[in-house]
């Protein structure tokens, strides 16, 4: 298919009596191509969500994402009930077996879904499609999760892009389809008795994420409200404010987009008419998201290994104690600790902070990026596999468009630039709140009298710093030189 071809969501009507719509990362009724096409058939509809149990890390959600998923499913189920339907929930070790079982049990004529692009997902979907078609069941899949599908975009040599800027310049010339209409009025739904949502056990047994509700409402309406607020102000100043840690300068739409409560085309068309500043600012980030899906689709090895294979030889210095202090926000560097505690308390971290803590882990501490990616995967409510992998490989220097490994973020300079008053640190590291501006990010530089005055005892009320900044940078550069010599 040419990059300029426009795929259609229309399905030729047949003798379908019952259609199963398989929801995955498209937990919305509006701008849902699979659901829209199912409605057009006039058949009875069975909306289904299947939770895979004991799956690999690529197939399962992290703890924070499961929290969001539970509430997103609850919200979608409530929306469907307004039209006389509801989600059929089910679970099992094999999603494939569960789906095939539902198809047989309810005498389904066709299965509709919106396409996914992660390697494990495309493999699973291909296997299911083959088995369903062998059994005489129609399968129809649709383009609904990205602006441009990975298989449709190629460079002049007919190969996938590996650099973002030419990818973006090419893709932005391709018209983006309007969000599709879905009219459920008058639709008939198959009556089913799947398991209760609570049976999926998505909420944690220990309610460590109790504060999430202070930051998030995981419903489609909340996502629409956030989009409207963003469009009314912050989006026009996005390029100026998106790196400032204490400002509400980012969209915070990522979890709604990850779980498909908002469609990417809905966001695009809501903002595209607002001028070049928005097009070259926030909307560029939507193409960056597409680029992440493009890379993971064409280079499936990058899920667990560096996109640039020579980096498999990089001399990491694994130290579980260092990794654990980083995870818990106990590094002794206030900007790092604030970011890691923000992640723990809210299930989210500011994008600038993600780069800073990532650089600190892989460069100052010389820990493998995979450990950082795994922690983010488990603790982020917006833990999107392509974006998580691309972000960590970018900061580690081993992926596409990556920052060179010898580029080492200095956390003190980052704090000066993006949290100059220390308000971000004060919010998440309250034990340092009494330290004045300009000193808060270097508590080790305070005199014993100053520390006592501010109620701080290093190593007791706040940890000693793990490493000297300059020593950490020198260690990173030395490791890089060793690596370069090994791959020559």
């Amino acid at each position: 298919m040419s990059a300029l071809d426009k795929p259609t969501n229309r399905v030729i009507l047949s003798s379908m009596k019952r259609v199963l719509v398989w929801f995955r990362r498209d937990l919305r009724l509006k701008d849902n191509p699979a659901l829209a096409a199912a409605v057009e058939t006039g058949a009875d509809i069975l909306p289904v969500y299947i939770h895979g149990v004991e799956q690999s890390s690529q197939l399962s959600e992290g703890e924070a994402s499961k929290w969001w998923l539970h509430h997103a499913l609850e919200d979608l189920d409530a929306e469907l009930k307004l039209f006389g339907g509801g989600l059929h929930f089910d679970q099992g070790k094999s999603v494939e077996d569960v789906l095939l079982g539902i198809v047989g049990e309810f005498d389904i004529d066709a299965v509709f879904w919106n396409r996914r692009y992660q390697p494990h997902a495309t493999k699973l979907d291909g296997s299911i499609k083959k088995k369903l078609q062998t059994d005489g069941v129609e399968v129809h899949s649709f383009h609904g999760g990205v602006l441009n599908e990975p298989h449709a975009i190629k460079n002049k040599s007919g190969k996938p892009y590996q650099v973002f800027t030419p990818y973006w310049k090419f893709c932005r010339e391709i018209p983006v389809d309007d969000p599709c209409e879905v009219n459920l009025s008058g639709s008939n739904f198959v009556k089913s008795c799947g398991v209760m949502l609570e049976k999926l056990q998505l909420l944690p047994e220990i309610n460590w994420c109790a504060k999430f509700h202070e930051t998030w409402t995981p419903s489609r309406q909340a996502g629409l409200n956030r989009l409207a607020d963003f469009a009314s102000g912050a989006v026009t100043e996005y390029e100026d404010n998106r790196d400032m840690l204490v400002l509400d300068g980012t969209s915070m739409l990522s979890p709604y987009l990850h779980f498909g409560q908002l469609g990417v085309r809905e966001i695009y068309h809501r903002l595209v008419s607002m001028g070049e500043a928005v097009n070259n600012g926030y909307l560029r980030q939507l193409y960056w998201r597409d680029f992440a899906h493009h890379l993971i689709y064409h280079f499936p090895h990058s899920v667990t290994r560096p996109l640039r294979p020579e980096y498999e030889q990089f001399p990491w210095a694994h130290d579980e104690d260092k990794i654990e202090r980083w995870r818990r926000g106990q590094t002794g560097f206030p900007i790092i600790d604030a970011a890691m505690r923000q992640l723990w308390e809210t299930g989210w971290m500011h994008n600038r902070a993600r780069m800073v803590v990532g650089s600190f882990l892989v460069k100052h501490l010389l820990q493998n990026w995979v450990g950082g990616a795994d922690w983010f995967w488990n603790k982020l409510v917006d833990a999107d596999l392509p974006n998580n992998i691309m972000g960590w490989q970018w900061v580690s220097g081993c992926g596409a468009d990556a920052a060179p490994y010898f580029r080492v973020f200095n956390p003190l300079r980052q704090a000066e630039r993006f949290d100059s008053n220390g308000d971000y640190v004060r919010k998440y590291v309250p034990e340092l709140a009494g330290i004045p501006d300009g000193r808060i990010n270097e508590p080790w530089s305070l005199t014993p009298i100053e520390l006592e005055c501010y109620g701080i005892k290093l190593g007791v009320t706040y940890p000693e710093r793990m490493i000297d900044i300059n020593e950490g940078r020198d260690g990173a550069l030395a490791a890089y030189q060793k690596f370069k010599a090994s791959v020559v």
Side-chain angles (χ1 to χ4, degrees):
M1 176 169 52
S2 163
L4 297 179
D5 288 341
K6 281 194 173 182
T8 178
N9 290 325
R10 184 172 297 277
V11 174
I12 299 174
L13 297 179
S14 65
S15 58
M16 297 178 194
K17 295 180 180 178
R18 286 188 169 184
V19 170
L20 184 154
V21 178
W22 186 15
F23 285 87
R24 289 96 68 87
R25 289 294 165 266
D26 46 8
L27 304 182
R28 63 186 184 275
L29 302 184
K30 302 296 184 181
D31 189 34
N32 188 317
L35 181 61
V39 169
E40 285 192 10
T41 68
D44 292 347
I45 298 171
L46 176 62
V48 169
Y49 182 86
I50 302 170
H51 176 58
V53 181
E54 296 182 13
Q55 297 175 326
S56 70
S57 59
Q58 291 183 42
L59 290 164
S60 64
E61 299 290 343
E63 294 178 39
S65 292
K66 286 180 182 177
W67 174 87
W68 189 288
L69 177 59
H70 174 94
H71 296 292
L73 290 171
E74 188 175 50
D75 181 59
L76 179 60
D77 185 46
E79 282 197 276
L80 281 165
K81 286 176 178 174
L82 296 176
F83 295 95
L87 273 174
H88 176 103
F89 297 111
D90 213 331
Q91 65 178 339
K93 291 185 178 180
S94 168
V95 170
E96 182 173 317
D97 290 345
V98 173
L99 181 65
L100 294 174
I102 295 172
V103 168
E105 178 183 354
F106 289 93
D107 196 21
I108 297 296
D109 298 300
V111 176
F112 289 17
W113 65 62
N114 294 311
R115 288 188 284 274
R116 302 179 293 180
Y117 310 101
Q118 299 90 333
H120 63 276
T122 57
K123 182 178 180 180
L124 176 63
D125 290 356
S127 175
I128 291 174
K129 180 177 181 179
K130 184 176 180 179
K131 289 185 179 180
L132 287 171
Q133 290 177 332
T134 299
D135 292 340
V137 179
E138 291 188 35
V139 177
H140 298 280
S141 64
F142 303 89
H143 164 207
V146 291
L147 297 174
N148 293 286
E149 295 192 281
H151 58 263
I153 305 300
K154 295 180 176 63
N155 62 24
K156 293 179 180 179
S157 300
K159 296 180 179 180
Y161 284 92
Q162 294 190 57
V163 179
F164 174 68
T165 298
Y167 171 87
W168 177 61
K169 288 181 177 178
F170 178 76
C171 289
R172 70 184 306 203
E173 300 299 321
I174 303 172
V176 175
D177 291 341
D178 291 330
C180 67
E181 297 295 327
V182 183
N183 183 7
L184 289 176
S185 300
S187 296
N188 294 317
F189 291 91
V190 178
K191 301 301 179 183
S192 68
C193 52
V195 304
M196 299 293 291
L197 173 58
E198 290 69 23
K199 188 74 172 177
L200 304 187
Q201 297 181 314
L202 296 171
L203 297 177
E205 293 182 9
I206 299 174
N207 193 20
W208 65 272
C209 51
K211 289 188 176 182
F212 282 14
H213 281 294
E214 297 177 12
T215 304
W216 304 105
T217 301
S219 68
R220 172 172 166 82
Q221 187 57 54
L224 290 170
N225 293 344
R226 178 65 194 178
L227 175 58
D229 290 344
F230 184 58
S232 67
V235 70
T236 59
E237 299 175 341
Y238 177 79
E239 278 299 282
D240 293 329
N241 294 336
R242 65 173 180 154
D243 285 323
M244 307 308 295
L245 295 173
V246 295
L247 295 181
D248 187 19
T250 64
S251 74
M252 292 189 75
L253 293 173
S254 51
Y256 300 102
L257 188 54
H258 170 62
F259 287 99
Q261 292 173 290
L262 297 181
V264 66
R265 294 181 297 202
E266 290 184 293
I267 297 173
Y268 177 90
H269 283 288
R270 177 67 176 81
L271 303 175
V272 70
S273 63
M274 298 184 69
E276 277 304 296
V278 173
N279 278 267
N280 291 322
Y282 181 74
L283 291 187
R284 181 184 171 106
Q285 301 307 308
L286 295 184
Y287 285 97
W288 180 258
R289 173 181 177 269
D290 263 29
F291 185 51
H293 285 77
H294 178 84
L295 290 172
I296 209 169
Y297 177 85
H298 289 289
F299 305 99
H301 74 275
S302 65
V303 172
T304 56
R305 293 158 41 216
L307 179 67
R308 298 168 63 183
E310 66 271 20
Y311 272 84
E312 293 190 59
Q313 301 179 45
F314 194 85
W316 303 111
H318 181 77
D319 186 319
E320 191 59 34
D321 179 65
K322 289 181 178 179
I323 296 172
E324 185 62 17
R325 286 186 63 178
W326 174 84
R327 288 172 183 153
R328 301 298 173 185
Q330 296 291 328
T331 68
F333 289 90
I335 194 70
I336 303 295
D337 295 340
M340 299 307 294
R341 296 183 196 184
Q342 180 185 33
L343 173 62
W344 183 268
E345 290 183 22
T346 71
W348 185 83
M349 188 191 294
H350 193 285
N351 187 60
R352 169 57 57 173
R354 296 187 197 199
M355 291 189 283
V356 176
V357 302
S359 177
F360 184 80
L361 180 70
V362 301
K363 295 180 180 176
H364 283 94
L365 300 183
L366 283 177
Q367 302 305 301
N368 195 321
W369 65 270
V370 174
D374 286 347
W375 186 249
F376 272 27
W377 179 256
N378 199 35
K379 298 305 177 188
L380 283 169
V381 294
D382 64 351
D384 181 77
L385 182 66
N387 283 275
N388 191 42
I389 295 297
M390 185 170 71
W392 275 97
Q393 292 199 11
W394 180 88
V395 82
S396 302
C398 64
D401 252 25
Y405 189 84
F406 53 80
R407 181 185 179 190
V408 182
F409 282 90
N410 183 319
L412 301 182
R413 302 292 83 76
Q414 294 291 308
E416 288 173 2
R417 293 181 62 191
F418 305 115
D419 186 36
S420 58
N421 294 327
D423 293 336
Y424 181 71
V425 168
R426 289 188 179 91
K427 182 174 182 177
Y428 294 106
V429 191
E431 61 265 41
L432 302 181
I435 302 178
D437 300 355
R439 305 294 301 281
I440 192 170
N441 275 291
E442 297 182 74
W444 58 84
S445 70
L446 300 174
T447 67
I449 294 176
E450 288 174 319
L451 288 169
E452 184 177 359
C453 178
Y454 301 134
I456 299 166
K457 189 172 182 179
L458 290 180
V460 179
T461 61
Y462 185 71
E464 299 273 6
R465 54 179 173 166
M466 295 177 63
I467 191 170
D468 177 84
I469 283 293
N470 292 327
E471 289 179 5
R473 183 178 185 277
D474 291 344
L477 295 179
Y480 180 65
Q481 292 298 325
K482 180 180 179 181
F483 160 70
K484 282 206 308 181
S486 72
V487 298
V488 170

